[in-house]
Amino acid sequence: MDAIVQYILDGSKIDITYIKLKNATRDSFNLSVEARVTGTGPVPAVLSPFEADLVYERGVFGKLRIPEVHTSPSGCEVNIYDQLIQILDYEAWMAFVKAIVTQDRLVLALDNGHCTVTAMRVLKGDCVYRKDVVMKGMKGPAATIKHTTAEKVYMNLFNPSPVDIDHSMSIFEIQTADGEVIAELKGDMRIARNNGEVVTNITRKADVLPTSAARYKLVGRGTDGQAWTDASIKYIEVPLTLTDQFVSFYNQSDRSENGNE
């Protein structure tokens, strides 16, 4: 009997459509997940609530409580909101976050989830839930400058992954290809799904004259707090094209008027 219901789990597939990470501390965060489960077969089944290990590259970085799940031949939704996750393995967790930010594909594993599966009100058995979940990563995320004023820079971030990370108040630098800093940006940094706007205050460096033709990059430097996001923001280092409007604020007269000399 257990082998039959285990088959229901083994043939299933999880597609994560949304993950939100917020309220980061040194050793925890709040997690929300929206996912769709398919491939559980032609027979409806019920999975009892259970707890599963969150695993990346063999490191268990946390545990996730999964509510009761009702499967159907057409699939089912599994939604979890604002669950507090304690970080059990910091290195494994940061490796997972780095993969989310920098890679275009990664694999999260759910493991060691002991549950009971009931099918057709007759078949019932105890199973161990193990499942690899293939996810898209942010691969950057790519950044573009949308608008610039004397005091602020408005940027768009393109995030193709389902992951939304709230870094809170963060510091960035705009650097040349050789690492020379031409500006410091500071603002509330949330990397949202799809396209998201980030508004930052800008402090321009004196004695530099950037051009829109040269190559530059946006580099994360840290956050105001002492959470794990202070490290994860530093994974961001992406090409950035300066607009003519951005460059125009570096001429001598504008720097004098804005007190940046």
Side-chain angles (χ1 to χ4, degrees), residues 1-10 117 119-120 123-124 127:
M1 190 73 71
D2 287 356
I4 296 174
V5 294
Q6 185 72 52
Y7 175 81
I8 295 174
L9 298 184
D10 292 345
V117 179
M120 298 187 299
L123 298 175
K124 186 174 183 179
C127 301

Side-chain angles (χ1 to χ4, degrees), residues 9 47-50 113-117 125-129:
L9 298 184
L47 279 69
S48 65
F50 63 96
H114 294 271
C115 63
T116 299
V117 179
D126 296 326
C127 301
V128 178
Y129 193 90

Side-chain angles (χ1 to χ4, degrees), residues 23 95 98 170 248:
N23 298 336
K98 184 175 183 179
S170 303
S248 70

Side-chain angles (χ1 to χ4, degrees), residues 110-145:
L110 300 176
D111 198 3
N112 200 32
H114 294 271
C115 63
T116 299
V117 179
T118 304
M120 298 187 299
R121 300 183 180 180
V122 178
L123 298 175
K124 186 174 183 179
D126 296 326
C127 301
V128 178
Y129 193 90
R130 295 186 175 94
K131 188 65 58 178
D132 286 344
V133 183
V134 179
M135 298 171 49
K136 283 186 176 181
M138 296 180 181
K139 201 178 181 180
T144 59
I145 295 175

Side-chain angles (χ1 to χ4, degrees), residues 5-56:
V5 294
Q6 185 72 52
Y7 175 81
I8 295 174
L9 298 184
D10 292 345
S12 65
K13 178 184 177 183
I14 301 176
D15 291 310
I16 294 179
T17 56
Y18 183 54
I19 294 180
K20 185 172 184 178
L21 310 176
K22 67 177 185 179
N23 298 336
T25 70
R26 289 176 181 267
D27 56 8
S28 69
F29 57 94
N30 282 89
L31 172 68
S32 295
V33 179
E34 295 177 359
R36 181 165 180 79
V37 180
T38 57
T40 55
V43 179
V46 179
L47 279 69
S48 65
F50 63 96
E51 185 176 72
D53 292 340
L54 295 167
V55 184
Y56 184 69

Side-chain angles (χ1 to χ4, degrees), residues 20 39-40 52 57 92 94-95 110 116 125 128 138 140 148 166 174 201 208 218 223 237-238 245 254 259:
K20 185 172 184 178
T40 55
E57 294 184 342
M94 294 310 296
L110 300 176
T116 299
V128 178
M138 296 180 181
T148 307
D166 186 357
I174 298 178
N201 294 318
V208 295
L218 180 70
T223 65
E237 184 172 327
V238 294
Q245 183 188 51
D254 281 338

